[in-house]
Amino acid sequence: MRILRRQQTTYALSIVLSLLGVTFIAFTIWKTWSTVSSANDPLSTFVTLLGKERFSLVPGFEFELIYLFALGDAMLISGVVLAVLSVQWLYVPGKVVWFRCPFCHKDWKSSGDKALVHCPHCRQLVHPTLVEKRP
Ligand SMILES: [Zn+2]
């Protein structure tokens, strides 16, 4: 239950991060749109504007738009990565299974569904076979 709650927290965090990231990126596009949309070369105009345009998040503190854009990108990327990770954690439960090494025929306990692992007994890289055994 504790693990599940942590996964949900991670998932919620990833959604918040992605939304903030999208908001920041949308804000930079919205700020520069009037110039960019009428430019001959929208992409380079956008990049130039990122370094020139300023905004104030907190009164008295001005930032260049590029910081907001970079922050938005970073948040969006980390949000997506966190979402992928938390979804993987949600759908691949840490089920404990027994593996058997095809070389030394020894068993060991591990979690998840592993295709290629190092045998903890003989240190070989093996495709272990699953063994039916109650942990
Ligand atoms: Zn082995």
Side-chain angles (χ1 to χ4, degrees):
M1 286 311 279
R2 249 177 74 201
I3 294 164
L4 190 68
R5 204 178 306 141
R6 202 188 304 146
Q7 286 160 348
Q8 284 171 341
T9 310
T10 313
Y11 192 63
L13 182 73
S14 74
I15 288 173
V16 170
L17 275 175
S18 311
L19 284 178
L20 277 175
V22 168
T23 309
F24 285 0
I25 293 167
F27 180 76
T28 57
I29 291 171
W30 172 75
K31 275 283 269 189
T32 55
W33 186 248
S34 56
T35 318
V36 169
S37 59
S38 57
N40 291 326
D41 190 353
L43 193 67
S44 64
T45 309
F46 179 64
V47 173
T48 314
L49 277 176
L50 279 184
K52 274 203 303 195
E53 283 277 318
R54 292 176 160 265
F55 73 101
S56 64
L57 201 65
V58 187
F61 287 94
E62 284 210 326
F63 298 92
E64 280 160 7
L65 266 186
I66 190 138
Y67 292 117
L68 193 68
F69 190 68
L71 187 66
D73 278 345
M75 281 178 140
L76 184 61
I77 290 166
S78 46
V80 168
V81 168
L82 273 180
V84 168
L85 284 179
S86 64
V87 165
Q88 275 182 351
W89 289 335
L90 277 177
Y91 292 111
V92 183
K95 199 177 75 180
V96 173
V97 287
W98 284 87
F99 289 123
R100 179 167 293 164
C101 174
F103 291 99
C104 63
H105 300 286
K106 282 176 179 160
D107 299 343
W108 73 93
K109 208 161 58 169
S110 188
S111 63
D113 180 30
K114 293 186 179 76
L116 201 62
V117 287
H118 279 281
C119 168
H121 303 287
C122 64
R123 300 272 155 212
Q124 296 230 51
L125 193 61
V126 294
H127 290 282
T129 43
L130 286 176
V131 189
E132 281 296 322
K133 199 193 270 187
R134 293 276 145 243

